[in-house]
Amino acid sequence: QPPRSCEDYWGEWKHCRGLRHAFHHYYAHGELPACGRWREDYEACRAWERHRAAAAQEALCKSERARVMERQKYAPVWTLRQRPPPDWYLPLDQEKTN
């Protein structure tokens, strides 16, 4: 059984090709999104479901591993606290002017 349903890959591909997503991606990254990977994953998923193709299974698993590793590549922006600050219960100084 594939890691996701094939409709998920199809939906991601359709979303990636959408005008709104393309505009946002171009604005944020300066280039159009590469949507070919989602289409290839969809085709591999279909081949895995229909014919139980080992090559399609390996390609899809490799793509999913790469996607997970890419997501984990970036460190979190905020450092997580172990306990709250000692003065968490005090009122905020909203009336002070800087």
Side-chain angles (χ1 to χ4, degrees), residues 46-64:
R46 282 294 179 204
W48 186 358
E49 282 185 344
R50 289 185 188 145
H51 310 293
R52 302 284 186 232
Q57 178 182 4
E58 182 61 34
L60 192 57
C61 288
K62 184 177 178 183
S63 178
E64 282 292 328

Side-chain angles (χ1 to χ4, degrees), residues 1-11 41-42 45-46 49:
Q1 181 172 346
R4 300 184 190 189
S5 71
C6 294
E7 287 74 29
D8 288 347
Y9 294 112
W10 181 257
D41 288 348
Y42 172 72
C45 182
R46 282 294 179 204
E49 282 185 344

Side-chain angles (χ1 to χ4, degrees), residues 33-85:
C35 302
R37 192 163 102 184
W38 289 113
R39 178 66 184 213
E40 293 167 3
D41 288 348
Y42 172 72
E43 291 170 358
C45 182
R46 282 294 179 204
W48 186 358
E49 282 185 344
R50 289 185 188 145
H51 310 293
R52 302 284 186 232
Q57 178 182 4
E58 182 61 34
L60 192 57
C61 288
K62 184 177 178 183
S63 178
E64 282 292 328
R65 276 189 230 108
R67 194 172 287 120
V68 168
M69 292 302 291
E70 185 178 320
R71 196 175 329 135
Q72 291 175 351
K73 176 171 66 173
Y74 301 103
V77 176
W78 308 106
T79 56
L80 300 178
R81 286 190 245 180
Q82 300 301 321
R83 64 184 74 79

Side-chain angles (χ1 to χ4, degrees), residues 19-39:
L19 183 62
R20 185 175 182 177
H21 178 260
F23 180 74
H24 173 73
H25 194 276
Y26 187 79
Y27 178 78
H29 303 286
E31 60 187 18
L32 290 174
C35 302
R37 192 163 102 184
W38 289 113
R39 178 66 184 213

Side-chain angles (χ1 to χ4, degrees), residues 87-96:
D87 58 349
W88 66 270
Y89 58 89
L90 296 176
L92 297 175
D93 297 330
Q94 294 176 347
E95 290 135 16
K96 288 186 177 178

